[in-house]
Amino acid sequence: MSTLLEMRGISKAFAGVKALEDINFTVRQGEIHAVVGENGAGKSTLVKVLSGVYPHGSYDGSIVYDGRERHFRDINDSEALGIIIIHQELALIPLLSIAENIFIANPPSRFGMIDRDAVYKRSQQLLAKVGLNEAPDTLVTNIGVGKQQLVEIAKALSKEVRLLILDEPTASLNESDSAALLDLLVEFRSQGMSAILISHKLNEVARVADRITVLRDGRTVDTMDCQASTIEEDRIIRKMVDRDLEHRFPKREPTIGEPVFKVENWSVYHPLHAGRQVIKNVDFQVRRGEIVGIAGLMGAGRTEFAMSLFGRSWGRRITGRALLHGREVDLSTVSRAIDAGLAYVTEDRKQLGLLLADDVRKNITLANLGSVSSGHVIDDIKEMRVASDYRNRMRIRCSDVYQASGNLSGGNQQKVVLSKWLFTDPEILILDEPTRGIDIGAKYEIYCIINELADAGKAVIMISSEMPELLGICDRICVMNEGAFVGEFDRSEATQEKIMRVIVRKGERLVDRDLQRSSAEELSGGALR
C-alpha cells in the first residue's frame, strides 16, 4: 500500500509553548488512520497544519503529499489537492438549502451564471452517495444533526476529496447515526479514499481504523497496526493518559433519599409547528442523592423535555405541574427556575453554555451575579475569590481565572460550565450530554464530580447518547421515545439490549396508537359532518 501523506518532524509553538514537538505521521492510500489523545494533546493543531489553516512557515518540519513536498499557504491550497477537513462544529448555513450549502464555494455555472439545474442534479447524486434521502432544496435547519453531518460529507465529496479529515464526526450523533456514518467511511475506503479520523469514542476507532496514532502532550507516543493484531481499548487509554484506569467509571455506593423533584402530566408543543406535541403527558421524579439517566434515540425529546423544565427555554403551550419537596414551583422563566433550585448544563457548551470571549472568572459567576455584588455593583475581589475557589475545587486547568474560556480544552470548558451552575447552589442539576467531545481522562474527572454532587445530596438528571456512560454512572435509567417515557430500569437490571428492546417495541406501539387515534378522529369528524 503506497504512502499518500507523510508529515516529518512537525513542531508548532504558540507564545513559546510547544503544541506539537517533532511529530512524524503517515497516511497510506486507501486507509483510515485514527488520531487519538486527550484534549490538548495536539490533534487539532496537527490537522490545521496539514490543511493550511496554519500556513507554511508558521511551523517547523515538512509535509510530503502524493510524493512531493507541499507548502500550503491556506486551506484553499490543500483543498485544491483533495485534502478536505470536516470540523466538529459544522460549517453549514441553516437558512440555506442542502444544495446551496454543498456548492456555496464552487457552484456549477453556465454563461457566468449559477446553473441551478446542475446544482440540483449534482446535489441529488452526492446525497445518494452518502445515503441521505432528502430533497436538495430542503433547508438545513429542518434536518437533524446526523443528516447535517452527511451534508458536510457530501460537500466534501463535491470537491473531489482524496484525503478526508474528520474531527469528532460522531460527537453529536446517537449510536445508530454514528454506526451509519462509520459504515459510510468504510465504504469510501473500499473505493480508495484515505481518511484521518479524530475521535474520543475509542470503540468506534477500534472498529474502523487500519492504524491508530496516539498523541500525548504534543508528541507521538505510539502508532498501532489494527490489521496486525486486535487493539484493546485499555491499551489505547494507557497510551493516552500515561497511566492505567482500573475502571472506566468511578465506584460509588449511593445513598438515595426521598423524592425531591416531581413532574406531573407535563406536555410541550413545538415552538414553530403549533399542532405538534413533542412531550406527551410525562410523569417523572428524581430523589435526593440519585443520578437518573434519560436514554433515547435522537429526536426522542430528551433535550426538549429538559429545556422546557428549565424556565420554559424550549417549546410552547407548556402544561403540567412541577413539584419540589411536594410543593408546586413556578418554572415559567429561567430566573424563576434558578430561584426554585434548578440548574441546566446545556449539550452545546460553546453556543449556549459559555461566553467564549470572556474569562473563566466571569463565566463562573454569570448565573449568580448577586452573590458577588454589593449594591448592584460587581465586587471584583469577591468574584476573583469565588472563581479561584471553583478553579481549585473542579481542577480547571488554566493559566489563571482571567484566561479566556474559548482558549481552554473541551474538558476544562465543561468544568467551567459546571462551576457556573454549582455556584447557584442548585438542588436539581440537569446534565445534557455532559461529556460530549471530551477525552477519556476528562470524562473520568466529570464522572467523579457528578458522583460527589449526588453524595452531597443533589438530585442529578443526566441525558447521554452514550449507553455505556448511562449504565456506568446512573442509579436508574428512564427510557424516552417519541416524547414519552416508555421504560425504566434500576442500575442492577439495566443493559443496552433491554433499553434498545424497549425503545423499539414501545416505538411501534406509539406509532400504532397514533394511527388508531388519527383514524378515530377522522371517523368522529366524518360523523359530525
Side-chain angles (χ1 to χ4, degrees):
M1 190 180 291
S2 60
T3 299
L4 177 65
L5 168 73
E6 186 176 1
M7 303 179 75
R8 303 171 179 168
I10 301 294
S11 297
K12 172 73 177 172
F14 297 95
V17 178
K18 285 276 189 181
L20 300 174
E21 188 167 357
D22 197 28
I23 293 283
N24 294 295
F25 177 72
T26 63
V27 178
R28 299 168 183 155
Q29 186 73 47
E31 82 161 346
I32 299 173
H33 195 141
V35 179
V36 300
E38 293 190 271
N39 288 104
K43 307 183 297 296
S44 295
T45 303
L46 181 67
V47 296
K48 285 178 180 177
V49 166
L50 170 59
S51 61
V53 174
Y54 298 139
H56 177 72
S58 67
Y59 59 88
D60 296 324
S62 61
I63 298 173
V64 177
Y65 179 78
D66 212 11
R68 291 177 54 189
E69 184 170 346
R70 308 290 179 172
H71 300 156
F72 298 136
R73 295 164 299 179
D74 54 33
I75 199 166
N76 293 324
D77 283 356
S78 62
E79 286 191 352
L81 294 177
I83 301 173
I84 310 296
I85 183 169
I86 298 176
H87 296 279
Q88 182 177 351
E89 286 80 26
L90 301 180
L92 300 175
I93 300 174
L95 295 180
L96 291 184
S97 70
I98 292 173
E100 288 168 331
N101 271 281
I102 290 175
F103 288 104
I104 191 167
N106 57 338
S109 61
R110 188 180 183 189
F111 306 124
M113 303 286 288
I114 294 175
D115 187 342
R116 294 195 174 274
D117 290 338
V119 168
Y120 193 92
K121 185 175 181 180
R122 180 66 177 140
S123 296
Q124 281 183 314
Q125 295 169 348
L126 292 169
L127 294 177
K129 194 168 185 178
V130 300
L132 181 55
N133 185 26
E134 292 285 347
D137 55 3
T138 302
L139 294 183
V140 164
T141 191
N142 293 332
I143 61 175
V145 177
K147 292 181 178 180
Q148 289 180 23
Q149 190 69 266
L150 294 178
V151 173
E152 279 282 19
I153 294 176
K155 184 177 174 182
L157 295 179
S158 73
K159 302 172 184 177
E160 299 182 3
V161 58
R162 295 184 63 199
L163 175 59
L164 183 63
I165 306 168
L166 300 106
D167 189 356
E168 297 289 349
T170 63
S172 301
L173 307 184
N174 61 31
E175 291 189 9
S176 59
D177 285 340
S178 295
L181 179 59
L182 295 174
D183 289 341
L184 185 62
L185 198 57
V186 171
E187 182 181 336
F188 290 158
R189 176 179 62 188
S190 68
Q191 299 169 4
M193 185 188 297
S194 302
I196 297 173
L197 173 64
I198 298 174
S199 179
H200 291 308
K201 297 183 179 180
L202 301 186
N203 59 325
E204 296 179 354
V205 166
R207 176 189 157 198
V208 301
D210 299 296
R211 289 189 295 161
I212 302 171
T213 289
V214 182
L215 301 185
R216 187 174 69 238
D217 299 328
R219 297 181 177 89
T220 306
V221 295
D222 198 5
T223 295
M224 311 172 196
D225 189 343
C226 303
Q227 305 298 315
S229 62
T230 302
I231 306 299
E232 300 291 338
E233 287 185 35
D234 287 346
R235 176 183 170 186
I236 304 173
I237 293 169
R238 283 196 299 271
K239 295 292 184 179
M240 284 173 57
V241 303
D242 196 25
R243 64 187 186 277
D244 287 326
L245 287 181
E246 293 182 6
H247 303 284
R248 296 286 292 275
F249 305 98
K251 290 184 177 180
R252 169 172 162 266
E253 293 296 331
T255 303
I256 298 173
E258 73 287 350
V260 175
F261 183 63
K262 285 186 177 182
V263 175
E264 296 179 349
N265 202 30
W266 196 260
S267 294
V268 182
Y269 283 80
H270 196 282
L272 299 179
H273 307 289
R276 180 181 164 196
Q277 188 176 6
V278 179
I279 305 301
K280 304 171 182 177
N281 310 105
V282 161
D283 293 324
F284 175 80
Q285 72 170 14
V286 58
R287 294 169 288 184
R288 185 178 184 275
E290 184 181 34
I291 304 172
V292 177
I294 302 181
L297 302 178
M298 186 179 294
R302 297 168 300 165
T303 294
E304 291 82 356
F305 173 57
M307 291 183 70
S308 69
L309 289 176
F310 188 65
R312 305 194 176 191
S313 303
W314 190 94
R316 296 180 64 187
R317 293 169 56 193
I318 299 173
T319 57
R321 295 203 311 159
L323 298 97
L324 189 68
H325 299 298
R327 298 180 61 183
E328 189 166 356
V329 288
D330 182 2
L331 306 180
S332 58
T333 67
V334 169
S335 59
R336 287 173 181 172
I338 294 172
D339 291 341
L342 268 68
Y344 172 64
V345 177
T346 173
E347 64 176 336
D348 189 347
R349 60 178 171 268
K350 291 189 176 182
Q351 294 293 326
L352 303 176
L354 292 170
L355 299 176
L356 295 175
D358 274 339
D359 55 38
V360 171
R361 169 193 52 137
K362 289 183 179 178
N363 273 287
I364 287 177
T365 59
L366 187 61
N368 191 13
L369 290 174
S371 294
V372 291
S373 302
S374 299
H376 302 291
V377 177
I378 293 174
D379 185 328
D380 290 338
I381 300 300
K382 187 182 293 186
E383 186 178 44
M384 184 272 293
R385 286 174 178 166
V386 167
S388 297
D389 178 47
Y390 274 98
R391 176 197 177 194
N392 295 329
R393 286 169 54 190
M394 303 289 281
R395 300 179 289 278
I396 301 170
R397 298 184 185 93
C398 55
S399 57
D400 53 45
V401 295
Y402 299 100
Q403 182 176 353
S405 299
N407 294 334
L408 302 180
S409 68
N412 286 302
Q413 287 181 352
Q414 193 70 345
K415 291 179 185 178
V416 173
V417 178
L418 279 168
S419 298
K420 175 180 74 174
W421 289 113
L422 293 182
F423 184 47
T424 67
D425 192 26
E427 289 194 70
I428 316 299
L429 187 62
I430 305 172
L431 307 175
D432 196 348
E433 303 287 359
T435 64
R436 172 171 288 170
I438 62 178
D439 62 76
I440 191 71
K443 281 185 178 183
Y444 191 87
E445 291 185 338
I446 297 293
Y447 298 147
C448 290
I449 292 168
I450 294 171
N451 282 352
E452 290 168 7
L453 293 172
D455 290 341
K458 306 292 185 185
V460 180
I461 302 168
M462 180 170 169
I463 299 169
S464 177
S465 296
E466 295 189 36
M467 203 79 76
E469 182 171 78
L470 291 175
L471 295 170
I473 199 75
C474 297
D475 303 309
R476 181 164 53 94
I477 298 175
C478 297
V479 185
M480 201 168 199
N481 192 39
E482 298 287 337
F485 285 109
V486 295
E488 181 179 315
F489 300 94
D490 287 329
R491 175 198 287 257
S492 59
E493 62 177 350
T495 66
Q496 292 194 45
E497 292 76 14
K498 287 182 179 179
I499 291 171
M500 288 306 300
R501 194 177 297 122
V502 165
I503 290 174
V504 172
R505 289 180 179 174
K506 295 293 185 179
E508 291 172 351
R509 291 176 190 173
L510 284 169
V511 170
D512 289 342
R513 187 190 67 191
D514 289 343
L515 288 172
Q516 291 168 5
R517 181 184 300 160
S518 176
S519 299
E521 289 173 352
E522 289 177 8
L523 289 171
S524 174
L528 287 170
R529 288 193 296 271

